[in-house]
Amino acid sequence: MKRILLPALLAALMLLAACGGEPEKKETAQTAGDAPVQAEPVKLTYANFPPAFTVPCVQMEHWKEEVQTRTQGAVIVETFPGGSLLKSKNMLRGVIEGQADIGCLSMSYQPGVFPLTTAVEMPVGFSSAKVSSQVLWALFEKYQPAEFAQVKVLTLFATPPSNVMSTVPVQSLADLQGLELRGGGTPAKFLELLGAVPVNMPMPETPDALQKNIVKGLFSSLEVLQDMKFAEYCPNVTTLNGPAYIFAVVMNQAKWDSLPEEVKKTLDTLAPEQAAWTGEYWDKHTADAVEWSVQNHKLQSFTLTPEEMAQVAEKTAGITAAWKEAATAAGVPAEEVFADLLTFKSQFEAN
Ligand code: DTR
């Protein structure tokens, strides 16, 4: 009898301790401050295509830190730079299909796929990436474009203006004629109208193409002089203040829908702040990279004469007209969007 009673008594005591001894631990979300604390953190994978040390990946790590801090650990983000999870070409599809929860893509690499947001690639003379990134977000918020209907947009950002980095000095428009330069999307169109030969290839393939002399340079924001070590091959810069490249960070819609409301709120609040942070960081880092290239690779900078710059504006003026036509055909209210683009630009420039 004793032998049977003792284990039964012990089991009963353990059950009692489990049920009533300690304050109840909730399985569901509790609110602490403005973010939820969950029993099990939500884990999100975040894919990016360029190497870890480039700006699109620096902004990814910043976002990750912000999210983990603001949700007090309720969301954990695992980052995959360098195309280690998904490559640039299939980023949108990959996120829609759930191969990654989150992905960073450049709309500039897929002409025609993003008819509204590519307004921000127009050569309207953006003074900084901070301004163009904020304008991009403002347009997105106002129009909620159909091009992102299948995903949740977590943030958007744009590069500083594109300029020529080349193996040979480009001191005039004549030097640009027939010159093969890496470029994509609207920036590539801009090059073409000036007589250069744009070659579309992903950023990570460019160092190899430069070494093999397949391209004589590239047309991009200048921070890559340092980050991708392009200053080594291209110690010449020509200022054209050409169009920016634009980026989006998107999330799988079903994954987004499954997030706790408090987490969604936190991510929505972060979205425009992240756009401004990335633009500002990109501007500052670009200035530092140019200085680094002068110190380490004797970078030479060239500007065109005011007459030639007027020719640049004249030769590339058709880009905006062509965008309006294509955007209208895709169902975008192009005139209204373009007018808003200019209004938002002056508003953010004034701040
Ligand atoms: N210029 C575009 C965008 C870009 C600028 N810096 C980076 C760094 C990594 C990837 C893309 C970009 C481009 O050349 O693709």
Side-chain angles (χ1 to χ4, degrees):
M1 186 69 176
K2 231 186 196 172
R3 262 191 223 144
I4 302 168
L5 265 183
L6 198 63
L9 199 73
L10 272 173
L13 274 173
M14 277 162 71
L15 195 73
L16 221 107
C19 291
E22 279 182 45
E24 197 184 345
K25 275 189 191 138
K26 281 199 185 135
E27 287 295 304
T28 51
Q30 295 174 328
T31 304
D34 66 346
V37 177
Q38 285 216 311
E40 277 301 317
V42 177
K43 291 195 179 126
L44 299 174
T45 56
Y46 186 155
N48 216 333
F49 63 94
F53 46 81
T54 58
V55 178
C57 289
V58 171
Q59 75 76 37
M60 169 170 76
E61 295 304 325
H62 177 78
W63 187 87
K64 167 185 167 155
E65 290 306 317
E66 285 297 312
V67 168
Q68 293 185 170
T69 307
R70 292 185 190 198
T71 62
Q72 299 169 9
V75 176
I76 304 285
V77 184
E78 194 182 355
T79 55
F80 295 86
S84 54
L85 190 56
L86 285 175
K87 304 229 179 283
S88 61
K89 281 270 153 60
N90 62 7
M91 193 62 79
L92 184 61
R93 183 112 321 267
V95 169
I96 290 170
E97 289 170 359
Q99 291 161 40
D101 297 323
I102 303 171
C104 175
L105 59 97
S106 175
M107 289 83 102
S108 311
Y109 296 171
Q110 292 166 277
V113 179
F114 303 96
L116 192 146
T117 44
T118 40
V120 180
E121 289 181 342
M122 294 305 102
V124 291
F126 277 114
S127 51
S128 70
K130 186 173 183 191
V131 169
S132 51
S133 298
Q134 288 176 301
V135 169
L136 181 57
W137 183 260
L139 283 179
F140 171 78
E141 255 201 326
K142 174 160 181 185
Y143 289 97
Q144 299 290 317
E147 61 217 48
F148 288 110
Q150 292 191 75
V151 287
K152 166 71 186 176
V153 175
L154 294 176
T155 195
L156 299 165
F157 53 89
T159 66
S162 296
N163 290 306
V164 174
M165 290 157 260
S166 49
T167 54
V168 290
V170 174
Q171 303 187 57
S172 66
L173 281 181
D175 292 340
L176 258 188
Q177 303 313 300
L179 196 68
E180 292 97 349
L181 297 172
R182 177 202 170 266
T186 301
K189 191 88 215 129
F190 187 90
L191 283 179
E192 203 177 344
L193 290 168
L194 297 180
V197 179
V199 182
N200 197 354
M201 68 177 72
M203 180 62 88
E205 287 171 25
T206 312
D208 197 44
L210 275 167
Q211 254 168 339
K212 292 183 177 145
N213 217 14
I214 297 169
V215 290
K216 305 272 187 322
L218 66 155
F219 189 52
S220 170
S221 48
L222 298 178
E223 90 290 347
V224 290
L225 283 168
Q226 181 177 10
D227 290 353
M228 298 288 293
K229 303 283 173 283
F230 286 138
E232 211 175 303
Y233 312 104
C234 302
N236 303 289
V237 159
T238 307
T239 302
L240 293 181
N241 278 332
Y245 288 70
I246 54 173
F247 291 74
V249 178
V250 298
M251 185 172 188
N252 177 275
Q253 189 64 48
K255 192 78 191 184
W256 170 261
D257 293 339
S258 75
L259 294 177
E261 284 311 310
E262 285 299 319
V263 169
K264 286 183 183 167
K265 242 192 263 168
T266 304
L267 301 191
D268 277 337
T269 305
L270 178 56
E273 295 173 22
Q274 176 76 10
W277 184 90
T278 304
E280 193 167 1
Y281 174 82
W282 215 324
D283 291 327
K284 160 104 184 49
H285 185 52
T286 300
D288 291 346
V290 168
E291 186 49 36
W292 177 89
S293 305
V294 171
Q295 300 299 331
N296 291 279
H297 295 283
K298 301 193 167 49
L299 184 84
Q300 295 202 79
S301 292
F302 304 101
T303 50
L304 303 186
T305 61
E307 294 73 35
E308 283 208 312
M309 280 309 276
Q311 276 188 50
V312 169
E314 197 184 306
K315 283 176 192 285
T316 58
I319 289 180
T320 303
W323 170 80
K324 283 182 184 171
E325 202 179 312
T328 305
V332 170
E335 288 298 343
E336 201 186 321
V337 170
F338 193 71
D340 276 332
L341 170 88
L342 299 179
T343 308
F344 288 141
K345 178 174 174 283
S346 14
Q347 280 171 4
F348 285 115
E349 275 171 356
N351 284 330

